[in-house]
Amino acid sequence: MVDVLIVGAGPAGLFAARELARSDARVLVIDQGKDIKDRGCPMKDRGHCLHCFPCQIMCGLGGAGAFSDGLLNLHPSIGGDLEGLAKGEAWRLIDEVDSAFLSYGAPGKLLESAEDDEEQLRRKAAASGARFVPIKQRHMGSDKTPQIIAAFKEDLERKGVEFLLGCRVVDLIIEEDRCAGVRLADGTEKRAYRTLLAPGRIGAQWISVLLDKYSIKARFGPLDVGVRIEVPSIIMDPITRINRDPKFHIVTRRYDDFVRTFCTNPGGFVVKEEYPDFIATNGHSMIVEKSENTNFAFLVRLELTHPVEDTTAYGMSIAKLVTTIGGRRPVIQRLGDLHKGRRSTEERIARNTVENTLKDVTPGDISMALPHRIVMDVIEGLEILNQIIPGVNADSTLIYAPEIKFYARRIEVDGSFQSSLRGLYVAGDGAGLSRGIVAAAATGILAGRGMKE
């Protein structure tokens, strides 16, 4: 029996444990993945996905962020709803998260653009019908982030936090209308006075099952569906020198949809994400190893209303269709082929002037897999973006599908981050409360404080 049991060793779980470690609370962190030193995707050596379960990229100590770009977006409006907190509190949380990563070895260099450069980008974006959102960032790098996470864990262990890795939680223990712990896949039980669910994005579907099973109050959030774009770095360099991960917001004319750039990786690599029922794409970049390309997500925001509001099911249906068409590989297409209404072939991809950094792909036609509305938004959005970044709308530009960001069902919580089920607290992406490393970590801090009360 422990005081607090945390499900998920990603940013939300680790920062909650860090907050609790400042008291005398006995804390146990459980994750179905491996320790950070043991995590590694075999696709890097084999050249194709082996469908590991659980996926070593998505699961394990540090969460999915441990093998992402490792970019900290230091702004309350990026990755969550922190701006809804009391004035000043959101920024204090951002600073606390940033300071913690610095203490564990994050690079001291802060990425921020000069005022004149920001003004130039804002003006250029506005003239094109878009908006540029300048933010401060800290880049840890996909190759350095594991070392930072390892230092994080060592600090928590010194403070008495225990870890149980490689163990999958399958259910909650409910006694007298209260959560009393969790049940593991091998049938054993782990009991606690308070339980925090923070399984990250890959745990969103599992949490959804628990919400229905135990009638936990929640609502469906929006959905981001789109593609990952890959272009020569020289095209993006004038922009990424000003802001490493530029945020451009666009509203399309045809459908009045919100489209945004996200997770830009200068000199980076496109990677494949493996989920139980489907595949998706993502991107990362490293401090040392570089490619000749830059990639970024190009996402369309979707919301559903009456009579169907289940954005998670809708997003999964799209992802499953792309997975089927791609044979469990992401679909890749030249933008020129998309404009001509034809599929890309292996021959066209092989002689394309932009070489794809992700090799485990299926050349095809994204319009066969993504809804027409999404495809048209992507085409129109790239035309607008091309006015800001000349060259992104070239025929040789590569498009990977799908890129989907599930926001999960947003669980209703009180001021302590406790759900409608007594004794059960939630934090992070899997609970629909954040979308990214910094925001997830901030919700973990708030949940940790709530569980100490």
Side-chain angles (χ1 to χ4, degrees):
M1 185 79 170
V2 295
D3 295 312
V4 178
L5 191 155
I6 299 174
V7 180
L14 291 177
F15 273 85
R18 184 173 183 267
E19 185 67 29
L20 291 161
R22 295 173 177 174
S23 65
D24 294 328
R26 293 167 296 165
V27 181
L28 173 64
V29 180
I30 302 178
D31 196 286
Q32 65 176 330
K34 298 180 179 180
D35 199 344
I36 189 67
K37 67 179 186 300
D38 299 319
R39 291 177 64 183
C41 181
M43 187 169 66
K44 186 174 183 180
D45 298 322
R46 301 289 187 88
H48 63 276
C49 181
L50 300 184
H51 310 299
C52 302
F53 181 79
C55 174
Q56 293 195 49
I57 291 292
M58 299 298 295
C59 303
L61 187 73
F67 287 93
S68 68
D69 186 39
L71 187 70
L72 305 180
N73 289 305
L74 305 174
H75 196 287
S77 68
I78 304 298
D81 299 325
L82 298 181
E83 286 188 322
L85 297 173
K87 184 178 180 180
E89 184 180 359
W91 281 108
R92 285 193 291 272
L93 280 170
I94 296 293
D95 289 341
E96 184 173 347
V97 172
D98 187 35
S99 296
F101 278 115
L102 281 171
S103 71
Y104 297 128
K109 182 181 179 182
L110 192 63
L111 306 178
E112 53 184 328
S113 49
E115 187 174 338
D116 290 346
D117 291 333
E118 281 186 9
E119 183 179 349
Q120 177 187 347
L121 266 186
R122 284 201 300 267
R123 184 182 299 110
K124 198 171 184 179
S128 306
R131 184 165 72 95
F132 170 64
V133 184
I135 57 174
K136 295 180 181 179
Q137 299 165 324
R138 192 179 305 283
H139 183 224
M140 298 188 293
S142 303
D143 45 354
K144 300 296 183 183
T145 302
Q147 302 169 25
I148 297 168
I149 297 299
F152 201 149
K153 182 196 177 193
E154 291 172 4
D155 179 53
L156 293 180
E157 288 180 323
R158 282 194 299 268
K159 295 174 179 176
V161 175
E162 296 182 7
F163 287 84
L164 183 59
L165 303 175
C167 292
R168 185 163 60 93
V169 175
V170 295
D171 204 353
L172 305 176
I173 300 171
I174 308 298
E175 294 177 350
E176 298 179 352
D177 295 324
R178 181 182 180 87
C179 181
V182 299
R183 186 169 291 106
L184 304 182
D186 62 4
T188 59
E189 295 181 347
K190 296 294 180 181
R191 292 178 172 268
Y193 294 107
R194 293 180 178 86
T195 300
L196 173 67
L197 293 186
R201 196 164 65 244
I202 198 169
Q205 186 177 359
W206 172 65
I207 283 186
S208 184
V209 172
L210 297 180
L211 296 180
D212 293 333
K213 183 175 182 179
Y214 298 112
S215 301
I216 300 170
K217 293 181 179 179
R219 58 182 173 82
F220 288 101
L223 175 73
D224 277 350
V225 181
V227 296
R228 185 153 287 268
I229 303 294
E230 188 167 41
V231 299
S233 291
I234 196 169
I235 288 175
M236 294 288 294
D237 284 347
I239 306 299
T240 55
R241 287 194 189 109
I242 297 173
N243 191 286
R244 192 185 183 284
D245 183 16
K247 310 294 185 185
F248 291 104
H249 293 177
I250 298 168
V251 177
T252 60
R253 292 181 295 272
R254 177 190 290 259
Y255 290 115
D256 198 36
D257 286 337
F258 174 69
V259 184
R260 66 187 177 106
T261 61
F262 176 78
C263 186
T264 300
N265 299 286
F269 301 83
V270 178
V271 297
K272 175 182 174 183
E273 288 186 339
E274 183 83 10
Y275 293 86
D277 299 321
F278 60 89
I279 54 89
T281 57
N282 208 329
H284 69 201
S285 61
M286 297 182 246
I287 298 292
V288 178
E289 186 179 355
K290 301 288 184 182
S291 76
E292 296 182 352
N293 297 343
T294 291
N295 66 76
F296 61 90
F298 206 45
L299 303 171
V300 180
R301 177 73 50 83
L302 296 177
E303 295 189 61
L304 301 179
T305 56
H306 181 79
V308 178
E309 300 177 359
D310 193 340
T311 48
T312 300
Y314 180 57
M316 287 182 62
S317 68
I318 296 173
K320 288 178 181 178
L321 177 57
V322 183
T323 301
T324 299
I325 290 177
R328 291 203 67 84
R329 295 175 177 174
V331 174
I332 187 173
Q333 186 174 20
R334 295 174 66 253
L335 181 56
D337 291 333
L338 178 62
H339 284 152
K340 291 180 175 67
R342 67 186 186 187
R343 65 165 295 177
S344 288
T345 62
E346 290 186 6
E347 180 186 1
R348 291 193 186 107
I349 295 297
R351 58 185 171 86
N352 193 49
T353 54
V354 181
E355 182 180 353
N356 48 303
T357 56
L358 177 61
K359 306 300 183 182
D360 191 27
V361 292
T362 298
D365 184 357
I366 68 166
S367 67
M368 290 284 290
L370 297 178
H372 174 78
R373 180 169 184 154
I374 303 298
V375 175
M376 296 310 297
D377 281 337
V378 167
I379 290 174
E380 183 181 332
L382 286 175
E383 290 173 353
I384 294 172
L385 196 62
N386 194 70
Q387 299 175 49
I388 308 168
I389 315 172
V392 296
N393 201 40
D395 285 352
S396 58
T397 292
L398 294 175
I399 309 173
Y400 299 80
E403 176 100 10
I404 299 183
K405 302 303 180 188
F406 292 98
Y407 293 165
R409 288 162 70 177
R410 187 179 178 88
I411 301 175
E412 295 184 12
V413 295
D414 60 18
S416 300
F417 276 64
Q418 183 174 211
S419 71
S420 60
L421 178 60
R422 289 185 305 142
L424 182 68
Y425 297 73
V426 295
D429 290 16
L433 301 178
S434 64
R435 302 182 299 277
I437 296 174
V438 175
T443 63
I445 292 172
L446 293 172
R449 291 173 183 171
M451 289 184 287
K452 288 196 295 186
E453 295 177 354

